[in-house]
Amino acid sequence: MRKRTLLLATALTTGLLTALPATAQAAPSGLSGDFNGDGYRDLAIAAPLGKISGKSRAGYVAVLYGTKSGLSTTKRQVISQAVTGIPGTPETSDYFGDRLTTGDLDADGYTDLIVGVHGERLGSRDESGALTVVWGGASGLKTATDITSPLPRYRNELGWSVATGDFDGDGDTDLAAANIAFPELNIFNGPISRKGKAQSLTGIDTYDQTGINTDKLVAGDVTGDGRTDLLVMGQEEITDGYRTRSVLYKGSATGLKAGSKVAGGYEAVIADVNKDGYGDIVTGNFMEKSAENPNGGPGGAITVTYGAANGLSSRTPVRITQDTSGVPDAAERNDAFGWSLSAGDVNKDGYADIAVGVQGESIGAAQRAGAVIVLRGSKSGLTGKNAKAYHQNTSGVPGTAESSDHFGDAVKLTDITKDGRAELIVGAMGENDGEGAAWLFKTTSSGITGTGSKSVNGKTVGRPAGLAYFGNVLAG
């Protein structure tokens, strides 16, 4: 069961482009997540069911640019296939923006936005899937290039999942893209030119190598060697069915190599939660525990698999639920704890903290209103100690928790203001009957606070009201 497939079974509203003022600067910052090179991280917010040019579910991406006081709602763009410079034509059920990642693909110092347009039809052929790279620059995200695979068997929903990283350690950013029709993925070796030409293309059949298909890709340095590793999440066959399972592909001088199997799930993030120099794999399984989902739990669970020089530590993986000591509330069926995950240091102590989306959480009488729980990293690893929960009824947070808001559908921890502390952004695709919204939280020396937080939606960025799932995907 795929998270986004489940969510995108409805209709919605759309996008256009708001002019972004040019930014005068001598050289780009080179900062990850900085599309316009001004030294502040930016944020892309998808509305994949947005109506564009009259086409339902065509989709768009809103971009808010960072400033010293946080994300700006006036310094912004809306990107869709109806915008000049963006390839393609808006079509019903394109879901433009429902797969996003970022990275400096052309090595010019500006972060680029990569959109996996997995439903895009390629000509009159029975093939689909393109990777739209919207190139960063001093004036923001303006022009784009479509990348497709020259290999025929990689042309069915190419872009189902996308991730970037330096997998071979040569200093250039590579692009990984899953192809849903086959258990394979494309590795486009960087740098990638603005004409869409990579240095080379490698195809990996994950099912043939590991027995696990390719459904979701998560990049990070687990081994601490400076090369990016890639977690491939999917399913493996068991007696009378399938179960979720993941496998770590380790980066090497010659590219990605299949390594150890890891806890399965539907979401993951890689970050150093115990500050030992190795990235730790945090997998989220929002499903209830069963034979098919052994890493789930009552109301969902996350599993922390600790990293080491050879890939995985000998330490026993740690499973955390809402029944874990210190974690707010209690584990209840259909809470969906672990639906979304993001990593960042919220209190500047050097340990990565983890934001966990609990989009099915009931708040009072409001069912599936949703919440986010921030777990703190520490020398001993990720625990429930000092964990805090946030939702629309938290003091200072705009709005009111209502049934089917799904607050926590998407989460993002990122340091926008350059103070060394990550701010929290939360998406709630069900807000206002599916119009959707995102909340921007501030961070103090003690961590995330609801005080001073604000919400944004399609109307904020100049789009008409209506079904859009604004905030369903966050990237930056």
PDB file of all heavy atoms in Angstrom, residues 101-127:
ATOM      1  N   THR A 101      12.550  16.489  -4.843  1.00  0.00           N
ATOM      2  CA  THR A 101      13.804  16.479  -4.103  1.00  0.00           C
ATOM      3  C   THR A 101      14.622  17.677  -4.582  1.00  0.00           C
ATOM      4  O   THR A 101      14.226  18.387  -5.509  1.00  0.00           O
ATOM      5  CB  THR A 101      14.579  15.165  -4.282  1.00  0.00           C
ATOM      6  OG1 THR A 101      15.630  15.087  -3.319  1.00  0.00           O
ATOM      7  CG2 THR A 101      15.187  15.039  -5.682  1.00  0.00           C
ATOM      8  N   THR A 102      15.748  17.922  -3.950  1.00  0.00           N
ATOM      9  CA  THR A 102      16.593  19.062  -4.313  1.00  0.00           C
ATOM     10  C   THR A 102      18.059  18.636  -4.376  1.00  0.00           C
ATOM     11  O   THR A 102      18.448  17.620  -3.793  1.00  0.00           O
ATOM     12  CB  THR A 102      16.457  20.211  -3.297  1.00  0.00           C
ATOM     13  OG1 THR A 102      16.883  19.749  -2.007  1.00  0.00           O
ATOM     14  CG2 THR A 102      15.015  20.698  -3.209  1.00  0.00           C
ATOM     15  N   GLY A 103      18.867  19.422  -5.062  1.00  0.00           N
ATOM     16  CA  GLY A 103      20.302  19.172  -5.145  1.00  0.00           C
ATOM     17  C   GLY A 103      20.909  20.018  -6.241  1.00  0.00           C
ATOM     18  O   GLY A 103      20.212  20.404  -7.198  1.00  0.00           O
ATOM     19  N   ASP A 104      22.185  20.314  -6.137  1.00  0.00           N
ATOM     20  CA  ASP A 104      22.879  21.120  -7.145  1.00  0.00           C
ATOM     21  C   ASP A 104      23.394  20.195  -8.239  1.00  0.00           C
ATOM     22  O   ASP A 104      24.539  19.743  -8.211  1.00  0.00           O
ATOM     23  CB  ASP A 104      24.025  21.902  -6.498  1.00  0.00           C
ATOM     24  CG  ASP A 104      24.747  22.811  -7.479  1.00  0.00           C
ATOM     25  OD1 ASP A 104      24.280  22.938  -8.633  1.00  0.00           O
ATOM     26  OD2 ASP A 104      25.783  23.391  -7.092  1.00  0.00           O
ATOM     27  N   LEU A 105      22.568  19.931  -9.238  1.00  0.00           N
ATOM     28  CA  LEU A 105      22.913  18.942 -10.258  1.00  0.00           C
ATOM     29  C   LEU A 105      23.963  19.431 -11.245  1.00  0.00           C
ATOM     30  O   LEU A 105      24.753  18.631 -11.761  1.00  0.00           O
ATOM     31  CB  LEU A 105      21.657  18.518 -11.029  1.00  0.00           C
ATOM     32  CG  LEU A 105      20.570  17.793 -10.227  1.00  0.00           C
ATOM     33  CD1 LEU A 105      19.467  17.321 -11.168  1.00  0.00           C
ATOM     34  CD2 LEU A 105      21.144  16.618  -9.447  1.00  0.00           C
ATOM     35  N   ASP A 106      23.983  20.732 -11.539  1.00  0.00           N
ATOM     36  CA  ASP A 106      24.920  21.234 -12.542  1.00  0.00           C
ATOM     37  C   ASP A 106      26.149  21.896 -11.926  1.00  0.00           C
ATOM     38  O   ASP A 106      26.948  22.520 -12.635  1.00  0.00           O
ATOM     39  CB  ASP A 106      24.235  22.193 -13.509  1.00  0.00           C
ATOM     40  CG  ASP A 106      23.604  23.391 -12.809  1.00  0.00           C
ATOM     41  OD1 ASP A 106      23.531  23.384 -11.554  1.00  0.00           O
ATOM     42  OD2 ASP A 106      23.185  24.336 -13.498  1.00  0.00           O
ATOM     43  N   ALA A 107      26.312  21.773 -10.605  1.00  0.00           N
ATOM     44  CA  ALA A 107      27.512  22.237  -9.900  1.00  0.00           C
ATOM     45  C   ALA A 107      27.788  23.722 -10.087  1.00  0.00           C
ATOM     46  O   ALA A 107      28.951  24.146 -10.174  1.00  0.00           O
ATOM     47  CB  ALA A 107      28.740  21.420 -10.348  1.00  0.00           C
ATOM     48  N   ASP A 108      26.720  24.549 -10.104  1.00  0.00           N
ATOM     49  CA  ASP A 108      26.910  25.990 -10.262  1.00  0.00           C
ATOM     50  C   ASP A 108      26.759  26.745  -8.941  1.00  0.00           C
ATOM     51  O   ASP A 108      26.819  27.976  -8.912  1.00  0.00           O
ATOM     52  CB  ASP A 108      25.944  26.554 -11.301  1.00  0.00           C
ATOM     53  CG  ASP A 108      24.483  26.455 -10.873  1.00  0.00           C
ATOM     54  OD1 ASP A 108      24.187  25.796  -9.856  1.00  0.00           O
ATOM     55  OD2 ASP A 108      23.617  27.037 -11.574  1.00  0.00           O
ATOM     56  N   GLY A 109      26.544  26.019  -7.829  1.00  0.00           N
ATOM     57  CA  GLY A 109      26.419  26.656  -6.526  1.00  0.00           C
ATOM     58  C   GLY A 109      25.002  26.970  -6.115  1.00  0.00           C
ATOM     59  O   GLY A 109      24.756  27.377  -4.977  1.00  0.00           O
ATOM     60  N   TYR A 110      24.038  26.795  -7.028  1.00  0.00           N
ATOM     61  CA  TYR A 110      22.627  27.018  -6.728  1.00  0.00           C
ATOM     62  C   TYR A 110      21.914  25.671  -6.600  1.00  0.00           C
ATOM     63  O   TYR A 110      22.121  24.772  -7.435  1.00  0.00           O
ATOM     64  CB  TYR A 110      21.946  27.830  -7.833  1.00  0.00           C
ATOM     65  CG  TYR A 110      22.498  29.219  -8.036  1.00  0.00           C
ATOM     66  CD1 TYR A 110      23.450  29.481  -9.027  1.00  0.00           C
ATOM     67  CD2 TYR A 110      22.066  30.275  -7.243  1.00  0.00           C
ATOM     68  CE1 TYR A 110      23.956  30.752  -9.231  1.00  0.00           C
ATOM     69  CE2 TYR A 110      22.564  31.570  -7.437  1.00  0.00           C
ATOM     70  CZ  TYR A 110      23.507  31.792  -8.429  1.00  0.00           C
ATOM     71  OH  TYR A 110      24.009  33.066  -8.617  1.00  0.00           O
ATOM     72  N   THR A 111      21.062  25.536  -5.603  1.00  0.00           N
ATOM     73  CA  THR A 111      20.280  24.313  -5.468  1.00  0.00           C
ATOM     74  C   THR A 111      19.183  24.280  -6.525  1.00  0.00           C
ATOM     75  O   THR A 111      18.530  25.285  -6.798  1.00  0.00           O
ATOM     76  CB  THR A 111      19.644  24.228  -4.066  1.00  0.00           C
ATOM     77  OG1 THR A 111      20.683  24.150  -3.094  1.00  0.00           O
ATOM     78  CG2 THR A 111      18.759  22.998  -3.936  1.00  0.00           C
ATOM     79  N   ASP A 112      18.992  23.114  -7.135  1.00  0.00           N
ATOM     80  CA  ASP A 112      17.963  22.909  -8.144  1.00  0.00           C
ATOM     81  C   ASP A 112      16.810  22.111  -7.540  1.00  0.00           C
ATOM     82  O   ASP A 112      16.980  21.372  -6.567  1.00  0.00           O
ATOM     83  CB  ASP A 112      18.546  22.149  -9.346  1.00  0.00           C
ATOM     84  CG  ASP A 112      19.833  22.786  -9.860  1.00  0.00           C
ATOM     85  OD1 ASP A 112      19.820  24.017 -10.098  1.00  0.00           O
ATOM     86  OD2 ASP A 112      20.848  22.074  -9.988  1.00  0.00           O
ATOM     87  N   LEU A 113      15.633  22.264  -8.116  1.00  0.00           N
ATOM     88  CA  LEU A 113      14.449  21.535  -7.678  1.00  0.00           C
ATOM     89  C   LEU A 113      14.147  20.454  -8.702  1.00  0.00           C
ATOM     90  O   LEU A 113      14.026  20.737  -9.894  1.00  0.00           O
ATOM     91  CB  LEU A 113      13.253  22.491  -7.562  1.00  0.00           C
ATOM     92  CG  LEU A 113      11.911  21.862  -7.163  1.00  0.00           C
ATOM     93  CD1 LEU A 113      11.954  21.350  -5.733  1.00  0.00           C
ATOM     94  CD2 LEU A 113      10.780  22.876  -7.340  1.00  0.00           C
ATOM     95  N   ILE A 114      14.013  19.213  -8.231  1.00  0.00           N
ATOM     96  CA  ILE A 114      13.732  18.092  -9.127  1.00  0.00           C
ATOM     97  C   ILE A 114      12.322  17.596  -8.854  1.00  0.00           C
ATOM     98  O   ILE A 114      11.969  17.274  -7.715  1.00  0.00           O
ATOM     99  CB  ILE A 114      14.737  16.939  -8.944  1.00  0.00           C
ATOM    100  CG1 ILE A 114      16.166  17.435  -9.235  1.00  0.00           C
ATOM    101  CG2 ILE A 114      14.398  15.773  -9.860  1.00  0.00           C
ATOM    102  CD1 ILE A 114      16.960  17.835  -8.037  1.00  0.00           C
ATOM    103  N   VAL A 115      11.498  17.549  -9.916  1.00  0.00           N
ATOM    104  CA  VAL A 115      10.120  17.094  -9.817  1.00  0.00           C
ATOM    105  C   VAL A 115      10.001  15.774 -10.571  1.00  0.00           C
ATOM    106  O   VAL A 115      10.305  15.705 -11.769  1.00  0.00           O
ATOM    107  CB  VAL A 115       9.144  18.125 -10.427  1.00  0.00           C
ATOM    108  CG1 VAL A 115       7.701  17.682 -10.219  1.00  0.00           C
ATOM    109  CG2 VAL A 115       9.376  19.510  -9.836  1.00  0.00           C
ATOM    110  N   GLY A 116       9.574  14.723  -9.880  1.00  0.00           N
ATOM    111  CA  GLY A 116       9.330  13.456 -10.544  1.00  0.00           C
ATOM    112  C   GLY A 116       7.919  13.444 -11.110  1.00  0.00           C
ATOM    113  O   GLY A 116       6.948  13.232 -10.384  1.00  0.00           O
ATOM    114  N   VAL A 117       7.793  13.693 -12.413  1.00  0.00           N
ATOM    115  CA  VAL A 117       6.474  13.745 -13.046  1.00  0.00           C
ATOM    116  C   VAL A 117       6.181  12.350 -13.593  1.00  0.00           C
ATOM    117  O   VAL A 117       6.222  12.104 -14.801  1.00  0.00           O
ATOM    118  CB  VAL A 117       6.425  14.810 -14.161  1.00  0.00           C
ATOM    119  CG1 VAL A 117       4.975  15.142 -14.539  1.00  0.00           C
ATOM    120  CG2 VAL A 117       7.127  16.095 -13.720  1.00  0.00           C
ATOM    121  N   HIS A 118       5.900  11.427 -12.678  1.00  0.00           N
ATOM    122  CA  HIS A 118       5.859  10.008 -13.039  1.00  0.00           C
ATOM    123  C   HIS A 118       4.675   9.634 -13.927  1.00  0.00           C
ATOM    124  O   HIS A 118       4.715   8.619 -14.613  1.00  0.00           O
ATOM    125  CB  HIS A 118       5.852   9.140 -11.781  1.00  0.00           C
ATOM    126  CG  HIS A 118       4.790   9.510 -10.792  1.00  0.00           C
ATOM    127  ND1 HIS A 118       3.542   8.957 -10.799  1.00  0.00           N
ATOM    128  CD2 HIS A 118       4.805  10.403  -9.755  1.00  0.00           C
ATOM    129  CE1 HIS A 118       2.824   9.473  -9.817  1.00  0.00           C
ATOM    130  NE2 HIS A 118       3.564  10.359  -9.159  1.00  0.00           N
ATOM    131  N   GLY A 119       3.631  10.467 -13.952  1.00  0.00           N
ATOM    132  CA  GLY A 119       2.482  10.166 -14.804  1.00  0.00           C
ATOM    133  C   GLY A 119       2.542  10.816 -16.176  1.00  0.00           C
ATOM    134  O   GLY A 119       1.632  10.638 -16.988  1.00  0.00           O
ATOM    135  N   GLU A 120       3.608  11.564 -16.454  1.00  0.00           N
ATOM    136  CA  GLU A 120       3.721  12.287 -17.728  1.00  0.00           C
ATOM    137  C   GLU A 120       3.843  11.300 -18.893  1.00  0.00           C
ATOM    138  O   GLU A 120       4.740  10.462 -18.942  1.00  0.00           O
ATOM    139  CB  GLU A 120       4.948  13.196 -17.697  1.00  0.00           C
ATOM    140  CG  GLU A 120       5.138  14.039 -18.944  1.00  0.00           C
ATOM    141  CD  GLU A 120       4.201  15.235 -18.987  1.00  0.00           C
ATOM    142  OE1 GLU A 120       3.473  15.485 -18.007  1.00  0.00           O
ATOM    143  OE2 GLU A 120       4.197  15.926 -20.017  1.00  0.00           O
ATOM    144  N   ARG A 121       2.939  11.398 -19.849  1.00  0.00           N
ATOM    145  CA  ARG A 121       2.976  10.513 -21.011  1.00  0.00           C
ATOM    146  C   ARG A 121       4.039  10.979 -21.991  1.00  0.00           C
ATOM    147  O   ARG A 121       4.148  12.171 -22.284  1.00  0.00           O
ATOM    148  CB  ARG A 121       1.602  10.482 -21.697  1.00  0.00           C
ATOM    149  CG  ARG A 121       1.517   9.458 -22.827  1.00  0.00           C
ATOM    150  CD  ARG A 121       0.080   9.370 -23.354  1.00  0.00           C
ATOM    151  NE  ARG A 121      -0.017   8.438 -24.466  1.00  0.00           N
ATOM    152  CZ  ARG A 121      -0.169   7.128 -24.336  1.00  0.00           C
ATOM    153  NH1 ARG A 121      -0.238   6.607 -23.119  1.00  0.00           N
ATOM    154  NH2 ARG A 121      -0.257   6.345 -25.388  1.00  0.00           N
ATOM    155  N   LEU A 122       4.813  10.032 -22.514  1.00  0.00           N
ATOM    156  CA  LEU A 122       5.888  10.354 -23.447  1.00  0.00           C
ATOM    157  C   LEU A 122       5.401  10.152 -24.879  1.00  0.00           C
ATOM    158  O   LEU A 122       5.346   9.034 -25.389  1.00  0.00           O
ATOM    159  CB  LEU A 122       7.119   9.479 -23.169  1.00  0.00           C
ATOM    160  CG  LEU A 122       7.695   9.566 -21.750  1.00  0.00           C
ATOM    161  CD1 LEU A 122       8.894   8.642 -21.599  1.00  0.00           C
ATOM    162  CD2 LEU A 122       8.088  11.002 -21.411  1.00  0.00           C
ATOM    163  N   GLY A 123       5.021  11.239 -25.512  1.00  0.00           N
ATOM    164  CA  GLY A 123       4.548  11.169 -26.888  1.00  0.00           C
ATOM    165  C   GLY A 123       3.320  10.283 -27.004  1.00  0.00           C
ATOM    166  O   GLY A 123       2.459  10.252 -26.127  1.00  0.00           O
ATOM    167  N   SER A 124       3.246   9.542 -28.086  1.00  0.00           N
ATOM    168  CA  SER A 124       2.114   8.634 -28.304  1.00  0.00           C
ATOM    169  C   SER A 124       2.430   7.218 -27.851  1.00  0.00           C
ATOM    170  O   SER A 124       1.619   6.307 -28.001  1.00  0.00           O
ATOM    171  CB  SER A 124       1.744   8.634 -29.797  1.00  0.00           C
ATOM    172  OG  SER A 124       2.855   8.194 -30.574  1.00  0.00           O
ATOM    173  N   ARG A 125       3.617   7.029 -27.257  1.00  0.00           N
ATOM    174  CA  ARG A 125       4.028   5.694 -26.824  1.00  0.00           C
ATOM    175  C   ARG A 125       3.376   5.336 -25.495  1.00  0.00           C
ATOM    176  O   ARG A 125       2.961   6.197 -24.730  1.00  0.00           O
ATOM    177  CB  ARG A 125       5.554   5.653 -26.681  1.00  0.00           C
ATOM    178  CG  ARG A 125       6.302   5.928 -27.986  1.00  0.00           C
ATOM    179  CD  ARG A 125       7.782   6.154 -27.708  1.00  0.00           C
ATOM    180  NE  ARG A 125       8.001   7.374 -26.935  1.00  0.00           N
ATOM    181  CZ  ARG A 125       9.198   7.796 -26.529  1.00  0.00           C
ATOM    182  NH1 ARG A 125      10.266   7.061 -26.784  1.00  0.00           N
ATOM    183  NH2 ARG A 125       9.321   8.913 -25.848  1.00  0.00           N
ATOM    184  N   ASP A 126       3.305   4.052 -25.228  1.00  0.00           N
ATOM    185  CA  ASP A 126       2.752   3.594 -23.956  1.00  0.00           C
ATOM    186  C   ASP A 126       3.855   3.611 -22.895  1.00  0.00           C
ATOM    187  O   ASP A 126       4.181   2.596 -22.278  1.00  0.00           O
ATOM    188  CB  ASP A 126       2.177   2.182 -24.127  1.00  0.00           C
ATOM    189  CG  ASP A 126       1.393   1.747 -22.895  1.00  0.00           C
ATOM    190  OD1 ASP A 126       0.953   2.635 -22.135  1.00  0.00           O
ATOM    191  OD2 ASP A 126       1.238   0.519 -22.699  1.00  0.00           O
ATOM    192  N   GLU A 127       4.443   4.790 -22.713  1.00  0.00           N
ATOM    193  CA  GLU A 127       5.522   4.983 -21.758  1.00  0.00           C
ATOM    194  C   GLU A 127       5.249   6.274 -20.999  1.00  0.00           C
ATOM    195  O   GLU A 127       4.605   7.189 -21.520  1.00  0.00           O
ATOM    196  CB  GLU A 127       6.883   5.070 -22.468  1.00  0.00           C
ATOM    197  CG  GLU A 127       7.245   3.817 -23.249  1.00  0.00           C
ATOM    198  CD  GLU A 127       8.469   4.012 -24.129  1.00  0.00           C
ATOM    199  OE1 GLU A 127       8.913   5.165 -24.269  1.00  0.00           O
ATOM    200  OE2 GLU A 127       8.979   3.019 -24.672  1.00  0.00           O
TER     201      GLU A 127
END
